[in-house]
Amino acid sequence: KNQQISEQNKDITDSINYAQKIQQALLPSKEYIHSLFPESFILFQPRNVVSGDFYWASSQGNKSIIAAVDCTGHGVPGAFMSMIGNSLLNQLVNEQNFTQPGEILFHLREEVIKALKQTGADGESRDGMDISLCSIGVEDSANGEKKYVLEFAGANNPLIHIRNRKLTEYKGDKQPI
């Protein structure tokens, strides 16, 4: 029995470790993030081997878009949710060309509800995600200089802004995705 349990444990562990490689392959590379946000860094410390937390980034026209996402569930269930979230963000921004953070989150919420077949019935699972999403665009100002415009939308997650050593928190909506 010990041998059988040991083999099953190895199979499960190998499977989860392989799933981690797939999940990591979906995250934007550090080089890509730095090409969009040169003075940025990534702090990503998942709790489990596979995770419900992920970061996402893309660009569309003159806007760079970045998100930090916390899906319901840890481990394998959270990883499934992160795969859904990643896929839907790619679809909404890269295929349907949404760039306004509030609009992206509105459609993301609709698509997650559809994907999970959620009806709002009592006792039904309320799986989803909390997210902070920012869009940073470059515009020409009246005097010909470049002007950066940051737009933010959050679902249960804030934006923390630090300027001149002063920290400001902008709260997101209480509405989860």
Side-chain angles (χ1 to χ4, degrees), residues 17-127:
N17 287 332
Y18 188 65
Q20 178 189 35
K21 289 179 184 176
I22 294 170
Q23 191 177 36
Q24 285 178 338
L26 295 177
L27 296 173
S29 70
K30 288 179 183 175
E31 293 78 21
Y32 182 68
I33 297 286
H34 287 288
S35 75
L36 299 177
F37 307 101
E39 295 182 41
S40 63
F41 65 93
I42 300 167
L43 176 62
F44 183 63
Q45 297 177 317
R47 180 177 165 194
N48 299 96
V49 176
V50 289
S51 174
D53 299 337
F54 71 100
Y55 57 94
W56 177 91
S58 187
S59 67
Q60 204 52 250
N62 70 338
K63 290 188 175 183
S64 297
I65 303 161
I66 192 159
V69 189
D70 178 7
C71 298
T72 56
H74 298 285
V76 174
F80 273 106
M81 284 303 304
S82 75
M83 300 287 281
I84 291 169
N86 187 301
S87 176
L88 290 173
L89 284 169
N90 282 324
Q91 177 185 324
L92 292 168
V93 174
N94 299 332
E95 295 172 21
Q96 296 179 19
N97 300 317
F98 290 110
T99 60
Q100 297 293 115
E103 193 175 38
I104 294 167
L105 294 192
F106 175 82
H107 291 289
L108 180 61
R109 184 176 189 278
E110 286 184 335
E111 293 300 321
V112 167
I113 289 169
K114 216 184 315 183
L116 298 176
K117 298 176 178 64
Q118 295 173 334
T119 63
D122 286 343
E124 180 180 68
S125 75
R126 299 205 182 267
D127 294 315

